[in-house]
Amino acid sequence: MIDIAAVTNGSVGDNSQSNNNVHTVSLTAYRIGETEVTQELWQAVMGNEPSYFDESSGKEPVSGEAQKKRPVENVNWYHAIAFCNKLSIACNLEPCYTVTAGGNQIDFSTLEYSAIPTTDNTDWNNAAWDTGKNGFRLPTEAEWEWAAMGGTEDKWAGTDTESELINYAWYGVHSGSKTHEVKKKQPNGYGLYDMSGNVFEWCWDRFGPLPNPLPADYSGHASGSGQVVRGGGWYSSSSLVARAFRSSSASIAGDNNIG
């Protein structure tokens, strides 16, 4: 994981984005994984392989790339927070998320993958994040974008020049219509890979209009229609893999371009 220093009144967003104009952000120091979560790590933690891009189904990686090191995808937001809790438990850390169903907190140490909802579920939509816990979690949208900037104001994660984007991102016509092993492109200024392209990444926040300035350590709206996804994917145009592009997806929307 990569250490990201605290920031006070930093600048994120881009005025070319109608729903993400330039605004200020203040964040406590945090850490973020240098790559997208791989199929290998997901298998070790969750005990299954849900990805659409799986060599056993004829969607093999390109020559020279390892299947198990492609990003996991086809997982919804409920799966993502369950993964974070299960990884925390496996590493003897404190799970960050609680989900209460029928008056009882779900025990993530025994939760079966098949028990994680794939249809809209109020209990899981109301998952709570305890910021005092030290386990793994999804980044907030603000944390994601600050990390993607890599200490610059570049339009994409790693470059400000579209002709160079192919060196940093798997996207559009340059992806071969599939995901790729992580860390095959160049990293951004913070040493993070595939922040633009390969697969969109789930964030913690519910999607909604952004206040300006953001409250410190802003974590999204109290309610909203879906969760934030960031970074663009293997099929996306260059505009959709821009670090300031923001979109949302329903919590239940596991797709082959979201990981």
Side-chain angles (χ1 to χ4, degrees):
M1 298 189 78
I2 302 295
D3 290 304
I4 308 295
V7 56
T8 301
N9 294 328
S11 181
V12 296
D14 189 290
N15 287 335
S16 67
Q17 302 291 327
S18 61
N19 64 3
N20 191 18
N21 288 166
V22 172
H23 58 282
T24 59
V25 62
S26 295
L27 300 168
T28 303
Y30 61 103
R31 306 183 80 196
I32 192 165
E34 70 169 356
T35 75
E36 296 162 327
V37 172
T38 62
Q39 294 182 13
E40 176 181 40
L41 179 57
W42 184 275
Q43 175 78 46
V45 174
M46 302 296 283
N48 77 323
E49 174 46 83
S51 297
Y52 172 83
F53 288 103
D54 178 7
E55 61 187 354
S56 66
S57 57
K59 302 172 185 68
E60 65 280 346
V62 299
S63 177
E65 294 186 11
Q67 172 67 38
K68 64 184 181 179
K69 296 192 182 300
R70 297 168 91 177
V72 72
E73 24 78 15
N74 217 26
V75 293
N76 68 27
W77 188 79
Y78 306 150
H79 293 133
I81 63 172
F83 167 82
C84 290
N85 271 6
K86 284 180 172 288
L87 180 57
S88 297
I89 292 166
C91 294
N92 296 313
L93 298 173
E94 302 163 328
C96 290
Y97 302 128
T98 56
V99 177
T100 302
N104 298 310
Q105 287 189 7
I106 289 175
D107 183 350
F108 282 88
S109 66
T110 59
L111 179 70
E112 296 289 339
Y113 187 85
S114 59
I116 301 171
T118 54
T119 57
D120 191 55
N121 186 283
T122 300
D123 293 331
W124 281 76
N125 290 341
N126 292 328
W129 166 24
D130 185 339
T131 58
K133 302 301 185 184
N134 67 0
F136 294 94
R137 61 179 177 83
L138 298 176
T140 65
E141 179 179 13
E143 288 171 335
W144 186 95
E145 186 171 343
W146 185 258
M149 291 173 70
T152 74
E153 295 184 359
D154 289 347
K155 183 173 182 178
W156 295 277
T159 183
D160 204 36
T161 305
E162 186 165 359
S163 62
E164 296 178 357
L165 182 57
I166 190 173
N167 298 321
Y168 295 88
W170 298 108
Y171 72 103
V173 297
H174 303 296
S175 72
S177 298
K178 61 177 64 180
T179 61
H180 291 264
E181 178 179 337
V182 300
K183 295 182 72 169
K184 286 295 187 179
K185 296 291 188 177
Q186 294 180 37
N188 74 355
Y190 285 159
L192 302 171
Y193 296 84
D194 299 304
M195 293 293 279
S196 289
N198 220 0
V199 292
F200 279 90
E201 284 102 42
W202 284 115
C203 294
W204 165 253
D205 312 37
R206 293 183 179 90
F207 188 85
L210 294 173
N212 183 15
L214 290 182
D217 293 319
Y218 182 70
S219 59
H221 283 248
S223 61
S225 56
Q227 312 301 134
V228 173
V229 291
R230 286 296 206 113
W234 54 268
Y235 76 93
S236 302
S237 65
S238 61
S239 62
L240 300 191
V241 301
R243 55 88 181 163
F245 177 79
R246 60 191 299 260
S247 188
S248 69
S249 191
S251 303
I252 59 172
D255 202 347
N256 62 20
N257 63 351
I258 306 177

